Amino acid sequence: MQQPDFLLGHLPFWIVTYALSVVAWSCVGRWLLSIFVPPDSPNYIWRAFRTLTDWAVAAVAVITPRAVPGALLVPVTALWVFLIRGVVSVAMFAAGMVPTVAPVAGGVG
């Protein structure tokens, strides 16, 4: 049975899951850094986190109830992105787009 190339054959899976992971973990980093850095800080790491996550936080702000305080909006965004990544991964697995590990010839041992 011919297997697709491990990297290029599953490129959509790699790109989507990596991009969602970057956004989710950047939200976690932004939330933790917000403890120490003021919101208008010129710090380049803070600006990078803001640049990577502002669009996701704005999207989650639209669908999140107003009862959630603004300080918790970033971790809620991280949760949503992690959940979306899980759903997308399962959907890609069901579609056969996820790489699998081929069994070793001759079995284990």
Side-chain angles (χ1 to χ4, degrees):
M1 178 160 88
Q2 183 67 20
Q3 294 267 340
D5 182 49
F6 185 73
L7 181 62
L8 296 178
H10 303 289
L11 199 56
F13 171 76
W14 296 119
I15 290 173
V16 170
T17 57
Y18 183 76
L20 290 172
S21 293
V22 166
V23 172
W25 285 111
S26 294
C27 283
V28 172
R30 174 180 170 169
W31 181 59
L32 291 174
L33 194 60
S34 71
I35 297 169
F36 305 105
V37 177
D40 57 348
S41 173
N43 184 302
Y44 67 95
I45 297 172
W46 177 251
R47 287 185 313 203
F49 280 144
R50 295 278 310 251
T51 302
L52 283 170
T53 60
D54 273 345
W55 65 272
V57 173
V60 169
V62 171
I63 61 172
T64 303
R66 299 286 176 220
V68 175
L72 293 179
L73 194 57
V74 176
V76 168
T77 302
L79 175 69
W80 272 105
V81 176
F82 279 125
L83 290 173
I84 290 169
R85 180 177 174 241
V87 168
V88 167
S89 296
V90 168
M92 287 184 155
F93 179 78
M97 299 172 70
V98 176
T100 58
V101 178
V104 178
V108 178

